[in-house]
Amino acid sequence: MKVLQFTIPVAHDRTVIVQEDNMPHFYPYLHRHREAQLIWIKEGEGTLIVANNMYAFQKGEVYLLGANQPHLLKSNPVYFEENSGLKIQSLMIFFDPQGKLAPVLALPEMQWLATFIQQHQNGFKVPQAYQDHLVSLMQAVQQAGSMEVMTSFLSLFQSLQQLNSQLEPLSTSILPGFSESEGLRIGHIFNFLMQNYHRNISLEEVAAEAHLTPQAFCRYFKKHTRQTFVAFLNELRINEACKKLTSSQFENIASVAYTCGFNNITNFNRVFRSVKGQAPKAYFKRLLQI
């Protein structure tokens, strides 16, 4: 089996690279690239892991992922089922602040853009109210000719800069740098947990996946994610529970809890409140009002 590299190269024949994907599912492995990435989820649902944080993503959303920021867009399990008929579509704009774009950012007139990119190296999600407008500007970059692409790119980021105070970082902590081998190992752990969160996972089992003793695994995981294994797994399970609550495809909240790996409703309620700041019933009630 070919080893999937943690650092993924992006074509660098242009200063601003536009890529449109239309596939059965998103690339399902933790990876990074030296380019920052602005992505519009045109079609698809799943889980976004950025550094040590996770989010449920869905159609229509726009995210910025920072340069060299480890990330993973994991489509929901149904996208991997044979003959599901589902697909994902996305529009992505890549740019390297330290590469071909660097001389532009060094210009006095571009100080605003250099500052904006520096401030948001941990990425962000575009607020829902502004998504349609930002998508139209991304499409303008995609459709621009070679003489207009930089103008369209600057117009796009000028609009983002005007939202500066409303952009919350996807990750609030700066993690230690991942080597290639560490990135592959962490990526394997993340994928194992995302594929098995619905059942009981012992510390010994996940440690064996990482080829470490349980004690060494706990230290390793905390060092590279700034979270304990239990805290990360609980957040993953609650994230999946929220997606099930949003879809309304469940009999009751208890059934959601059991299908997400919790063995009793009391523990589910406690963990849900600690992660989301409110009880599951209150969360679901708020969803119905949106």
Side-chain angles (χ1 to χ4, degrees):
M1 182 180 294
K2 180 181 178 181
V3 176
L4 294 164
Q5 294 300 309
F6 175 57
T7 301
I8 304 297
V10 173
H12 53 272
D13 57 335
R14 294 174 179 267
T15 304
V16 176
I17 304 121
V18 181
Q19 178 178 315
E20 187 168 7
D21 282 351
N22 188 335
M23 303 182 295
H25 53 75
F26 283 101
Y27 180 70
Y29 300 98
L30 185 74
H31 64 284
R32 67 183 176 195
H33 33 72
R34 70 187 190 189
E35 295 82 6
Q37 175 184 356
L38 191 66
I39 178 170
W40 166 39
I41 310 294
K42 187 175 181 180
E43 192 72 45
E45 297 180 347
T47 300
L48 168 64
I49 293 182
V50 182
N52 62 338
N53 293 76
M54 64 185 72
Y55 306 86
F57 70 81
Q58 58 186 345
K59 175 181 178 179
E61 294 179 337
V62 179
Y63 295 89
L64 176 76
L65 304 171
N68 283 308
Q69 188 173 35
H71 61 277
L72 161 65
L73 283 156
K74 180 78 168 182
S75 299
N76 285 338
V78 66
Y79 285 82
F80 296 88
E81 294 178 2
E82 189 174 358
N83 301 320
S84 72
L86 296 173
K87 64 179 180 179
I88 64 94
Q89 291 180 283
S90 63
L91 178 63
M92 295 168 285
I93 296 176
F94 297 92
F95 58 95
D96 183 359
Q98 304 299 321
K100 287 184 170 63
L101 194 62
V104 176
L105 297 178
L107 295 171
E109 295 83 357
M110 292 295 104
Q111 184 59 50
W112 66 270
L113 180 56
T115 300
F116 179 82
I117 292 173
Q118 176 64 28
Q119 287 177 338
H120 296 289
Q121 57 185 323
N122 283 339
F124 57 75
K125 177 183 176 181
V126 172
Q128 183 177 4
Y130 304 99
Q131 287 172 358
D132 289 346
H133 176 60
L134 268 297
V135 166
S136 67
L137 294 175
M138 291 178 68
Q139 291 174 317
V141 175
Q142 180 187 28
Q143 296 162 8
S146 57
M147 294 182 65
E148 296 84 23
V149 66
M150 284 304 300
T151 302
S152 298
F153 176 80
L154 292 175
S155 178
L156 166 62
F157 272 82
Q158 188 174 38
S159 291
L160 284 170
Q161 197 270 342
Q162 291 170 356
L163 302 177
N164 203 27
S165 62
Q166 301 181 57
L167 301 174
E168 296 184 3
L170 294 177
S171 177
T172 55
S173 62
I174 299 176
L175 298 179
F178 285 143
S179 67
E180 292 299 305
S181 61
E182 289 169 341
L184 287 169
R185 177 181 277 181
I186 288 290
H188 176 72
I189 295 168
F190 283 0
N191 276 283
F192 174 79
L193 295 177
M194 295 180 78
Q195 291 169 5
N196 295 280
Y197 71 88
H198 59 279
R199 64 175 181 84
N200 182 50
I201 304 173
S202 68
L203 174 60
E204 289 74 17
E205 182 182 9
V206 70
E209 287 290 326
H211 304 289
L212 295 168
T213 66
Q215 295 78 11
F217 172 80
C218 288
R219 292 192 299 269
Y220 178 87
F221 195 87
K222 183 68 178 290
K223 174 184 176 182
H224 291 291
T225 67
R226 300 278 172 84
Q227 285 183 291
T228 66
F229 159 63
V230 172
F232 183 90
L233 180 58
N234 279 339
E235 186 176 344
L236 173 60
R237 285 171 168 165
I238 295 303
N239 185 69
E240 294 300 321
C242 289
K243 288 194 289 187
K244 292 180 187 295
L245 289 170
T246 303
S247 70
S248 298
Q249 296 177 349
F250 62 94
E251 295 180 3
N252 50 54
I253 290 177
S255 67
V256 170
Y258 292 122
T259 58
C260 290
F262 292 93
N263 54 20
N264 67 74
I265 191 66
T266 301
N267 186 42
F268 172 71
N269 287 335
R270 179 184 60 80
V271 174
F272 194 103
R273 186 183 292 275
S274 69
V275 173
K276 292 297 182 181
Q278 58 184 318
K281 287 184 178 179
Y283 178 87
F284 182 55
K285 184 178 180 179
R286 182 175 63 82
L287 287 178
L288 294 177
Q289 296 173 344
I290 296 178

